């Protein structure tokens, strides 16, 4: 990796962090969690761009990125004794298929059926990959004393 | 005694859902609170927009309707803390009622801070989607204008559909006007950056999470919500392109 590539990764990381913190402000997260939210989002985005640069498709890259992202959220949820939702909702924002939704609806209105279908299926794939990644990491059991501290943590089955 | 306890549990669940908590989290929290408060035979069914519960062998019933969600994760955290304290025995019924009232009364972030964060967030997303300096500046301005507009519409009490269409229209129009001044501007990147605040990506992902949790009804509600919002945004964008084309001769 050249120095330039490394610098660009660092810039992406920082910008993703700022973007996530901005969203945690509009989601009214208490101030003490801002940094944790920012880190969660930035980690997810960094893994995502590294994966897409390595040639993975967007849904696969999203799935791979959702794993460390959710792990970060769980870690912060335990450390800060806060529900995992706080970090997860803000942290997934850079990965959420907002652009895909936009293009799908846009092509739909433009009557470009095949483009609309392509974008729609990709958007759905990304959303499923993201949700699967979250569910995978959330359902990993934790050692007992940690999970006791993380009271009311993620429970995937009823 | 039981009526008050049940009421408290219902209000706690309602506060969670209305401020962006997940369905299964609201259900878990309500179960734990009811157990800690000694509500007998507590049964609860939670949906994205409603809570149904009964207690004492079905003789006491309660229903709550949550028509609209505005995300305030600070309140979700506060309700979570109440259930944690109740389970640990650090709070009694009176204390929990006071704590819940305090949680509901948590103030929203200041308007100026929200405006600034929406603008900066839009700019950042324009960069992350590959935009350069001009795109970032346009997204910043469009995001700012759009959050002022949505705030004004919310104050006037109009529907969310209206506000979504109008906000998408406004930010697209602004970016298209900007492109007339700077012909090299990549309009799509700037528009998506500014629209990111409004896109229902979180609703879509949370809907699919509900599906994975085998909660098909809540998942469907959220998915339809996401589709509706996406449609509104697309209408706004299409409207802006149409008007710009007719009035200013801008080619999409």
């Amino acid at each position: 990796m050249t120095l330039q590539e490394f610098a660009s990764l660092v810039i992406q990381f920082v910008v993703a962090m700022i973007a996530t913190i901005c969203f945690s402000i509009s989601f009214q997260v208490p101030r003490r969690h801002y940094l944790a939210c920012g880190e969660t989002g930035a980690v997810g985005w960094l893994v995502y761009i590294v994966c897409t640069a390595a040639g993975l498709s967007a849904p696969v890259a999203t799935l791979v990125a959702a794993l460390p992202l959710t792990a970060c959220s769980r870690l912060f949820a335990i450390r800060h004794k806060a529900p995992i939702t706080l970090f997860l909702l803000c942290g997934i924002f850079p990965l959420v298929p907002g652009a895909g939704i936009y293009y799908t609806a846009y092509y739909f209105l433009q009557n470009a059926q095949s483009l609309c279908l392509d974008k729609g299926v990709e958007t759905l794939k990304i959303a499923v990959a993201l949700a699967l990644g979250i569910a995978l990491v959330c359902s990993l059991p934790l050692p007992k004393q940690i999970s006791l501290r993380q009271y009311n943590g993620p429970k995937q089955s009823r | 005694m039981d009526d008050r306890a049940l009421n408290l549990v219902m209000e706690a669940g309602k506060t969670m859902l209305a401020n962006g908590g997940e369905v299964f989290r609201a259900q878990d929290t309500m179960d734990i609170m009811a157990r800690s408060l000694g509500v007998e035979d507590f049964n609860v069914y939670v949906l994205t927009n409603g809570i149904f519960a009964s207690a004492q062998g079905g003789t006491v019933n309660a229903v709550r309707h949550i028509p609209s969600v505005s995300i305030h994760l600070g309140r979700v955290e506060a309700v979570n803390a109440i259930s944690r304290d109740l389970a640990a025995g650090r709070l009694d019924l009176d204390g929990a009622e006071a704590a819940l009232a305090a949680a509901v009364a948590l103030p929203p972030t200041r308007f100026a801070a929200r405006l600034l964060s929406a603008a900066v967030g839009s700019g950042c997303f324009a960069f992350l989607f590959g935009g350069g300096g001009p795109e970032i500046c346009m997204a910043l301005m469009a995001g700012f204008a759009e959050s002022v507009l949505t705030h004004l519409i919310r104050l006037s009490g109009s529907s969310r559909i209206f506000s979504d269409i109008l906000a998408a229209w406004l930010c697209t129009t602004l970016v298209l006007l900007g492109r007339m001044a700077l012909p090299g501007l990549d309009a799509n990147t700037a528009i998506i950056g500014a629209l990111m605040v409004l896109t229902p990506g979180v609703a879509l992902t949370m809907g699919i999470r509900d599906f994975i949790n085998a909660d098909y009804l809540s998942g469907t509600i959220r998915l339809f919500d996401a589709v509706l919002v996406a449609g509104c945004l697309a209408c706004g964008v299409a409207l802006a392109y149409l008007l710009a084309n007719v009035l200013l001769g801008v080619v999409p």
Side-chain angles (χ1 to χ4, degrees), chain A residues 53-83:
Chain A
L56 292 179
S57 69
V60 178
T62 309
L63 177 63
V64 175
L67 303 176
L69 187 156
T70 315
C72 272
S73 314
R74 277 190 90 173
L75 191 79
F76 286 125
I78 297 168
R79 272 239 215 111
H80 292 208
K81 290 192 177 167

Side-chain angles (χ1 to χ4, degrees), chain B residues 21 32 37 41 97 118 134 142 163 191:
Chain B
I32 289 163
L37 289 166
D41 311 321
E97 276 176 344
S163 105
I191 293 174

Side-chain angles (χ1 to χ4, degrees), chain A residues 28 32 81 85 151 156, chain B residues 25 32 77 84 109 213:
Chain A
Q28 331 237 9
R32 67 191 175 100
K81 290 192 177 167
T85 323
Y151 168 76
Q156 292 298 317
Chain B
R25 179 174 306 282
I32 289 163
E77 190 199 10
R84 187 203 311 256
T109 326
N213 281 332

Side-chain angles (χ1 to χ4, degrees), chain B residues 84-158:
Chain B
R84 187 203 311 256
D85 285 348
L86 269 176
R90 285 192 293 267
L91 271 181
D92 57 357
L93 185 57
D94 294 324
E97 276 176 344
L100 184 63
V104 174
L106 274 180
T109 326
R110 267 179 304 136
F111 180 52
R114 257 181 302 160
L115 274 188
L116 194 70
S117 71
V120 175
S122 303
C124 287
F125 272 109
F127 174 79
L128 293 180
F129 289 130
E135 285 86 12
I136 296 174
C137 291
M138 271 325 295
L140 209 92
M141 278 188 265
F144 183 81
E146 151 206 301
S147 60
V148 172
L149 183 77
T150 41
H151 184 75
L152 288 179
I153 295 176
R154 198 172 302 147
L155 283 186
S156 75
S158 300

